[in-house]
Structures are given as structure tokens and as C-alpha cells.
């Protein structure tokens, strides 16, 4: 018996792989290594494979049979909003075709359990800042669209016997282990670290939003907590009863860009004075998760806060 983790050599996937291994489970990682790093998963079987390649479905079937796979956690996907606007078809090919191949291989081999990485990007520009799973999904970029299509594909498969949970991540940051840190410089926390390392000030995209301090509010969730939510989801599916199948994963608390910069100042042991820049296109003022469903159904709740996220994100060489 083993769990197949697609994208398992990535930032979030590798955290889940490590938790599964700590529980003594066998893990098979499938990753195209476009962003994945083999050193993050030294103890797992690693199969280099692009899920959207023409032969991916048959290769996945072979992997599932060879390693007696019984469940899948599916991370492998492209995840940059701006890039998805530039290359929408490529996003659909990677994220949607990749999932179709994976679901096809699962159906063919009788693997009936899946946890899927979805995103708060499915909500788009919501009217209200506190989002429950019942909030209407109106994605505003191809990335968010591919995640919503993925949810629909899984819902269809669920009508034919798939047991699945979709997790809608809010803003993931921090590191559960130093060697699994986010090496991509795409989101606020790594961008702050990158700029500080280069001797530059952090940039705030707009301080005239209708929020308490004028900067955008997001729900920052520690990657170790997020990883734990996948384990809770897998255990829930294993227990057999699936009342709800989609859950927000956040803390339920918002933090502004200035509050994040403040937390990073403390973690770095030096005061950071940000530069205020113009608003970035497409940023909603506030996105905070209603986490009551995941708490009630999966018994999961974030255990770390912003200070823990900031402390864990700072690499050894930049610690005070
Ligand atoms: C956070 C806040 C910026 C950089 C994106 C995706 C979302 C999800 C998570 C995958 C915003 C502000 C940022 C900087 C800043 N991805 N900011 N200065 O946009 O909330 O969410 O990543 O599922 O789908 O859209 O995250 O980290 O880019 O920005 O002021 O240098 O920080 O404007 O308010 P975002 P982010």
C-alpha cells in the first residue's frame, strides 16, 4: 500500500510527503521537476513524469500498479496567476489535462481516494472579504479557472465512486523544516526576504484600500498546518464517511501587508521600512477564510500564527 503524491518534490507537496513518512507510510512521488527539487524527498520513490505528457496516463497506471497505490494527493500544477494570464492554454494543458490523465489512471487501476489542491483563487473578486465554501466561485484568471474546472472534474468522478476532498488554500507561507522552504520568489513573504537580502526595501502594492491600515488583507496559513490538513483529509476519506468534500484552508484571521512586513521585521531582527507603490491589478482588498467547515468536519484547525510563519520563513543565514 502506498500514497502517490504528485508534485511531491514541490514546496507544499514535500511537507506532506514528510508527514506521511513520519507516520511510516510508503510514498511514491511523481514530479516533472520543473519546480520540484529531488533533495526534498530523499526517502520517497521518485518518478520523473509530466502529468500532461501524451503517455502520462499509461505511465501513471504502471506506477500505480507497481507500487500498489491506494490513494493520491494531487499537487502537481502550474500556480502563477500572472503567467496564467499570459499563457492560458498552457495552464489548461498542464492543470486540466494533467488531472484528466491522473483520474483516468486512477479509474483504470481502481485507486479511489484523492485529495486535491485547490485554491482561494476559485472565488475571484468576492463581494465580501470572509469566504465560506458556499461563496459563489467566479475566478478572474485562467489559474483560478483551471482549479475550479479541476474541482468539477473530481465531482464528476465522485459520482462514479471516487472518494475525494478538495482543499482551497489561502495564502501559504513559512517552512515546516528548513530544507523544505519555499525557494520560489512569487509571494509576499519570499519576496520580502528576497528584497531584504538584496538590500532593498519591501514594496507595498497600495495603501488606499478600504481596510484598517489601507493595505490588502489576506489569510496567511503556515505550510506545516496546511500539510496537516491533507493528512486530516486523507484520514477522513479512509474512515469512509464523506458529508462535505470541499474545504477552505486558512486560519480564519486576516493580516494586512503592513502586518506581514512587521512580522518579518521581528523575525529578521531589523526594522523594515516599506516603500508604498501603486495598487497591483486584480488584488481584492480582503480575502479571509471561513474555516468553520474544516474545523467541524475534519477536526482541523491552524495551530500557527503570523509570527511563527515569519520566524520559520527566515533562512539560517538571515536570522538575527
Ligand atoms: C499577497 C498580498 C499583494 C508582494 C496569490 C494567488 C492565489 C494564491 C496565493 C495559489 C497582496 C501584496 C505582494 C509585494 C505586496 N496562489 N504584495 N508587495 O495575490 O493574495 O494570492 O498567491 O493558489 O491564487 O493569487 O498573494 O503573495 O502575491 O500577495 O504588497 O511585493 O501582498 O498585493 O495584497 P495573493 P501574494
Amino acid at each position: 500500500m502506498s500514497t502517490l503524491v504528485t508534485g511531491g518534490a514541490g514546496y507544499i507537496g514535500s511537507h506532506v510527503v514528510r508527514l506521511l513518512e513520519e507516520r511510516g507510510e510508503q510514498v511514491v512521488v511523481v514530479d516533472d521537476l520543473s519546480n520540484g527539487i529531488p533533495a526534498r524527498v530523499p526517502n520517497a520513490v521518485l518518478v520523473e513524469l509530466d502529468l500532461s505528457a501524451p503517455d502520462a496516463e499509461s505511465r501513471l497506471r504502471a506506477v500505480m500498479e507497481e507500487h500498489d497505490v491506494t490513494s493520491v494527493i494531487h499537487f502537481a500544477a502550474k500556480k502563477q496567476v500572472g503567467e496564467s494570464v499570459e499563457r492560458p492554454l498552457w495552464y489548461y494543458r498542464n492543470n486540466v489535462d494533467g488531472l484528466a490523465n491522473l483520474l483516468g489512471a486512477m479509474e483504470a487501476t481502481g485507486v479511489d481516494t484523492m485529495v486535491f489542491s485547490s485554491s482561494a483563487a476559485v472565488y475571484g473578486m468576492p463581494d465580501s472579504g470572509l469566504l465560506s465554501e458556499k461563496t459563489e466561485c467566479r475566478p478572474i484568471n485562467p489559474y483560478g479557472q483551471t482549479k475550479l474546472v479541476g474541482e468539477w472534474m473530481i465531482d464528476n468522478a465522485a459520482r462514479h465512486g471516487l472518494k475525494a476532498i478538495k482543499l482551497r488554500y489561502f495564502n501559504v507561507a513559512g517552512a515546516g523544516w528548513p530544507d523544505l522552504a519555499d525557494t520560489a520568489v512569487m509571494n509576499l513573504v519570499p519576496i520580502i526576504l528576497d528584497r531584504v537580502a538584496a538590500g532593498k526595501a519591501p514594496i507595498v502594492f497600495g495603501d488606499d484600500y478600504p481596510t484598517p491600515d489601507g493595505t490588502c488583507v489576506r489569510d496567511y496559513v503556515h505550510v506545516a498546518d496546511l500539510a496537516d490538513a491533507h493528512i486530516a483529509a486523507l484520514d477522513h476519506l479512509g474512515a469512509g464517511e464523506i458529508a462535505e468534500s470541499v474545504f477552505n484552508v486558512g486560519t480564519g484571521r486576516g493580516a494586512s501587508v503592513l502586518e506581514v512586513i512587521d512580522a518579518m521585521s521581528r523575525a529578521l531582527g531589523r526594522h523594515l521600512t516599506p516603500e508604498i507603490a501603486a495598487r497591483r491589478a486584480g488584488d481584492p482588498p480582503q480575502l479571509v477564510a471561513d474555516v468553520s467547515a474544516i474545523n467541524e468536519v475534519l477536526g482541523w484547525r491552524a495551530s500557527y500564527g503570523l509570527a511563527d510563519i515569519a520566524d520559520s520563513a527566515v533562512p539560517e543565514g538571515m536570522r538575527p
Side-chain angles (χ1 to χ4, degrees):
M1 268 178 54
S2 64
T3 300
L4 177 73
V5 183
T6 76
Y11 164 55
I12 303 172
S14 61
H15 279 85
V16 173
V17 168
R18 200 158 288 181
L19 286 185
L20 289 168
E21 287 173 345
E22 279 188 348
R23 303 210 306 179
E25 297 187 25
Q26 293 296 316
V27 180
V28 182
V29 169
V30 164
D31 200 301
D32 69 359
L33 301 181
S34 57
N35 284 309
I37 303 171
R40 285 184 175 137
V41 288
N43 303 315
V45 173
L46 174 60
V47 179
E48 190 175 343
L49 196 166
D50 169 3
L51 296 186
S52 64
D55 63 348
E57 185 170 331
S58 60
R59 287 190 61 197
L60 281 166
R61 276 187 356 220
V63 169
M64 288 173 184
E65 276 161 2
E66 182 186 348
H67 297 283
D68 188 19
V69 169
T70 50
S71 55
V72 172
I73 308 182
H74 179 43
F75 293 98
K78 296 290 165 199
K79 61 168 187 177
Q80 291 186 55
V81 170
E83 187 180 60
S84 80
V85 175
E86 297 298 317
R87 304 180 67 187
L89 195 54
W90 190 60
Y91 264 66
Y92 273 81
R93 288 213 171 107
N94 273 283
N95 295 2
V96 176
D97 291 3
L99 176 56
N101 288 332
L102 181 62
L103 288 170
M106 290 174 71
E107 191 180 86
T109 53
V111 179
D112 67 352
T113 302
M114 174 185 253
V115 180
F116 175 63
S117 299
S118 189
S119 166
V122 299
Y123 295 118
M125 278 276 211
D127 301 328
S128 144
L130 185 68
L131 306 171
S132 93
E133 293 81 354
K134 293 186 174 60
T135 303
E136 195 186 344
C137 291
R138 286 178 296 189
I140 55 164
N141 51 59
Y143 166 67
Q145 291 165 1
T146 63
K147 286 294 172 185
L148 187 56
V149 170
E151 290 194 8
W152 292 339
M153 291 164 73
I154 288 167
D155 291 343
N156 285 317
R159 288 184 198 102
H160 298 276
L162 181 73
K163 294 179 281 176
I165 284 179
K166 299 148 293 184
L167 298 177
R168 292 178 178 162
Y169 311 163
F170 280 65
N171 290 62
V172 186
W177 290 269
D179 58 320
L180 303 187
D182 189 2
T183 50
V185 184
M186 291 190 295
N187 294 108
L188 179 60
V189 169
I191 290 173
I192 293 171
L193 287 170
D194 188 59
R195 289 190 63 88
V196 170
K200 297 178 188 160
I203 295 178
V204 176
F205 294 139
D207 67 350
D208 56 351
Y209 284 95
T211 58
D213 67 17
T215 68
C216 286
V217 170
R218 297 288 181 271
D219 188 333
Y220 294 90
V221 58
H222 196 302
V223 66
D225 276 330
L226 174 65
D228 205 41
H230 290 75
I231 305 296
L234 211 51
D235 287 349
H236 185 73
L237 291 170
E241 210 177 299
I242 314 156
E244 300 289 340
S245 70
V246 63
F247 299 101
N248 289 336
V249 191
T251 63
R253 287 183 305 277
S256 72
V257 177
L258 289 179
E259 286 172 326
V260 173
I261 292 173
D262 194 46
M264 294 302 289
S265 292
R266 285 170 210 274
L268 286 159
R270 61 176 114 163
H271 182 72
L272 303 177
T273 308
E275 277 170 28
I276 309 297
R279 289 184 179 193
R280 192 175 69 174
D283 272 336
Q286 181 172 323
L287 295 173
V288 177
D290 176 340
V291 289
S292 47
I294 192 165
N295 182 229
E296 281 159 26
V297 180
L298 300 189
W300 176 91
R301 187 188 291 280
S303 57
Y304 297 111
L306 191 56
D308 306 306
I309 291 174
D311 286 341
S312 71
V314 174
E316 193 69 64
M318 291 177 79
R319 298 235 159 108

